[in-house]
Amino acid sequence: MRFVLTGPPFEQAATTGHKIFMRSFRTRVHLTASRMHKWLSLIIGLQVLIWMTSGLVMSALPIERVRGEHLVDRKVQPPITGNSAVRPLGELLSSIPGPVEALTFRMHQGRLMAEATTNGRTLLFDPSTGVRMPKISMDQAAEIARESWKGGGNPELKVTQVEDLAPEFRGPLPAWQVAIDGTTHVYVSGETGRILAVRTGTWRVYDFLWGLHIMDWQEHDNFNNIWLVSFAASGVIFALTGIALLIMRFPIKIRRRRTTI
């Protein structure tokens, strides 16, 4: 024999039990989200502050000053003179070793040069003979940096050869570093004489903040390191737990206000 308990008292007890269970479940979820949110704020709070501060400063710095365009004119290029001798294009291409991917004519220290990209390298050739030009000397690198200088005055130059790549310069070697007044570094290609990079005090501040921003404190270029991925994932969880707490706490305040009216 089976008994079925019905009626208002039993229905009210079932409803009360369901409410107690939901409140208990809601309390457990609330406490779990609150603990996670608290510990995550302690763990990633400092890094979030670094992200916000570094991002603010980097976005406020004019990119032209970061690149040193106000001090060095990297695009200075005299016009090609009309009396320069050039071999026929077919003969010139056949005299350059390897498949030529690109060929550009430009003036270089008063002479017309053929700048050819071949086998992943960019080299200078004499357009009248097809002979490869010698590498850029120390004196030539200093003269190139001096001609491109826009800072005024008669700056002191110190030229050194770049032997190893570093966070300040990761361009192709060989290259020369021309230090102007000790603070601005102009990097000149040892093959073509082109200015590859300009590093100033503003750039160093920007690069330091960039390293902090992507959490690569040595090379400043690895955007996919485990530290950044881990803290970014923790930040997502931090935001989700905050949203959960907001949703759970906000309706309570509404109910309290409604009951007092």
Side-chain angles (χ1 to χ4, degrees):
M1 181 180 294
R2 185 178 63 178
F3 295 94
V4 180
L5 301 177
T6 60
F10 299 102
E11 293 177 357
Q12 184 178 2
T15 303
T16 304
H18 178 72
K19 290 181 178 179
I20 294 174
F21 172 78
M22 291 303 296
R23 288 177 181 175
S24 176
F25 176 75
R26 184 184 184 88
T27 301
R28 289 196 299 268
V29 173
H30 184 277
L31 291 176
T32 301
S34 180
R35 291 192 185 101
M36 291 181 63
H37 196 75
K38 178 183 67 176
W39 284 108
L40 286 172
S41 65
L42 294 175
I43 295 173
I44 69 172
L46 179 59
Q47 182 59 40
V48 171
L49 178 62
I50 292 175
W51 280 339
M52 297 298 103
T53 304
S54 59
L56 174 63
V57 176
M58 287 190 296
S59 61
L61 290 174
I63 193 62
E64 295 80 9
R65 296 190 67 87
V66 174
R67 295 172 179 170
E69 295 179 4
H70 63 296
L71 295 175
V72 178
D73 187 359
R74 300 174 58 174
K75 300 180 181 180
V76 58
Q77 184 62 53
I80 297 176
T81 59
N83 57 354
S84 302
V86 179
R87 293 184 65 181
L89 183 59
E91 297 180 8
L92 180 60
L93 291 175
S94 62
S95 63
I96 299 176
V100 178
E101 303 166 10
L103 184 65
T104 303
F105 293 96
R106 67 181 181 91
M107 297 297 293
H108 173 67
Q109 295 191 328
R111 294 183 57 185
L112 180 65
M113 295 291 175
E115 188 178 270
T117 301
T118 173
N119 294 324
R121 299 177 62 189
T122 303
L123 308 172
L124 287 182
F125 294 87
D126 187 338
S128 62
T129 62
V131 177
R132 180 183 169 183
M133 300 299 296
K135 294 182 179 180
I136 304 301
S137 65
M138 179 184 295
D139 294 337
Q140 288 177 320
E143 185 62 26
I144 292 171
R146 191 185 301 276
E147 291 178 353
S148 64
W149 179 247
K150 297 166 58 178
N154 187 21
E156 179 183 355
L157 305 183
K158 181 181 179 181
V159 185
T160 56
Q161 188 171 10
V162 180
E163 298 180 353
D164 300 309
L165 298 182
E168 183 169 295
F169 177 73
R170 298 186 179 90
L173 299 178
W176 296 98
Q177 181 199 79
V178 183
I180 303 178
D181 287 340
T183 57
T184 302
H185 293 171
V186 179
Y187 290 90
V188 180
S189 170
E191 298 284 10
T192 65
R194 287 189 180 274
I195 296 177
L196 301 175
V198 179
R199 304 304 186 218
T200 64
T202 305
W203 181 91
R204 295 182 188 95
V205 171
Y206 188 96
D207 185 63
F208 172 75
L209 294 174
W210 174 249
L212 294 179
H213 197 77
I214 66 172
M215 304 186 72
D216 182 6
W217 304 285
Q218 293 182 347
E219 298 300 325
H220 301 180
D221 67 343
N222 184 7
F223 195 78
N224 300 314
N225 62 79
I226 187 63
W227 289 106
L228 181 62
V229 175
S230 300
F231 272 76
S234 300
V236 174
I237 299 175
F238 178 77
L240 293 177
T241 54
I243 294 174
L245 292 173
L246 179 64
I247 293 174
M248 298 180 71
R249 292 176 179 178
F250 189 71
I252 296 176
K253 295 181 179 180
I254 295 179
R255 292 196 191 101
R256 288 178 179 175
R257 290 177 180 176
R258 289 179 178 176
T259 55
T260 56
I261 296 176

